[in-house]
Amino acid sequence: MISISETVTIAAPADAVWPMLRDPAVVASCIPGASLTQAGEGGAYRGTMRVKFGPTVATFRGEAKLAYDDALRRCTIDGRGIDGRGASRALASGIVTASGSETTTLTVEGNFNVTGPLETFANAGGVHLARALLAEFAGNMARLAAERPAAEAPVEVGQIPDPSAPHPNPPPPAGEGTGGGELRGGALLWRAFLGWLKQLLFAKGKMG
């Protein structure tokens, strides 16, 4: 089981960000390669993730159960996924909390476990990939918040959006920097490595 504890800042007020976090369709639109395919009852959702490593493209199918606490701006997530060939499986659980006023501090605390051919990669680089993906997600959320009207009706408590129905505030179309398309794992890992190297050099500079 791999643990993750990350905090990222979204350059938008929490009052604007939280309603978007409450909408799985909007969240999926901000994750590279992700698509929401089905919403069931009781906060259960299904989706896919396309990941590209060089010439190889893998598609993962997953489902997650989401529970929201609007007073605390907190979402609890329990999910699982399997790749298209059924060779690798993943289990994940976590809590996402949004706080702040003029900017939003997004805190992610959780655990995930991967079995199968991707287990070695997940153990070695999973946390770095998650960190880079979270940073890209925050940037996409900030851009989307800036494009949307300031007064937007929040998602009602217990409301389950239907992916097949027209979205009242449609997310941006799939493309560069938005959901859909495919997640370029190599590029994200490179950015994660550069971030790690920058932190390492900065720490050495302070020690010197």
Side-chain angles (χ1 to χ4, degrees):
M1 189 68 70
I2 304 169
S3 297
I4 182 171
S5 178
E6 296 294 330
T7 299
V8 67
T9 300
I10 300 177
D15 287 341
V17 170
W18 177 244
M20 294 193 297
L21 291 174
R22 281 291 262 109
D23 189 335
V26 173
V27 171
S29 77
C30 292
I31 301 175
S35 297
L36 182 66
T37 59
Q38 182 180 347
E41 296 183 358
Y45 300 87
R46 291 184 179 180
T48 61
M49 172 79 79
R50 287 172 57 84
V51 184
K52 181 176 182 179
F53 289 97
T56 302
V57 177
T59 300
F60 291 83
R61 304 186 311 273
E63 58 183 33
K65 189 168 185 179
L66 311 178
Y68 298 97
D69 186 327
D70 292 289
L72 297 177
R73 288 178 178 156
R74 176 182 296 169
C75 177
T76 302
I77 305 170
D78 284 295
R80 59 182 178 177
I82 184 171
D83 70 359
R85 299 178 181 178
S88 295
R89 298 173 182 268
L91 293 174
S93 62
I95 297 176
V96 179
T97 306
S99 60
S101 53
E102 295 183 1
T103 61
T104 302
T105 299
L106 196 66
T107 303
V108 180
E109 302 276 352
N111 301 280
F112 65 92
N113 184 53
V114 178
T115 58
L118 291 177
E119 181 176 358
T120 300
F121 165 76
N123 291 338
V127 171
H128 300 296
L129 181 60
R131 185 176 297 142
L133 184 60
L134 184 59
E136 188 153 337
F137 170 77
N140 290 336
M141 287 288 285
R143 283 190 290 272
L144 186 56
E147 294 169 0
R148 292 191 162 204
E152 180 176 308
V155 178
E156 295 179 6
V157 177
Q159 178 182 350
I160 300 176
D162 181 358
S164 63
H167 199 280
N169 295 284
E176 193 69 28
T178 65
E182 59 198 23
L183 169 62
R184 298 182 181 273
L188 277 180
L189 277 178
W190 175 245
R191 270 176 279 177
F193 171 74
L194 291 178
W196 170 81
L197 186 61
K198 182 179 179 180
Q199 290 181 348
L200 181 64
L201 293 176
F202 179 74
K204 285 186 175 181
K206 291 182 64 177
M207 293 175 61

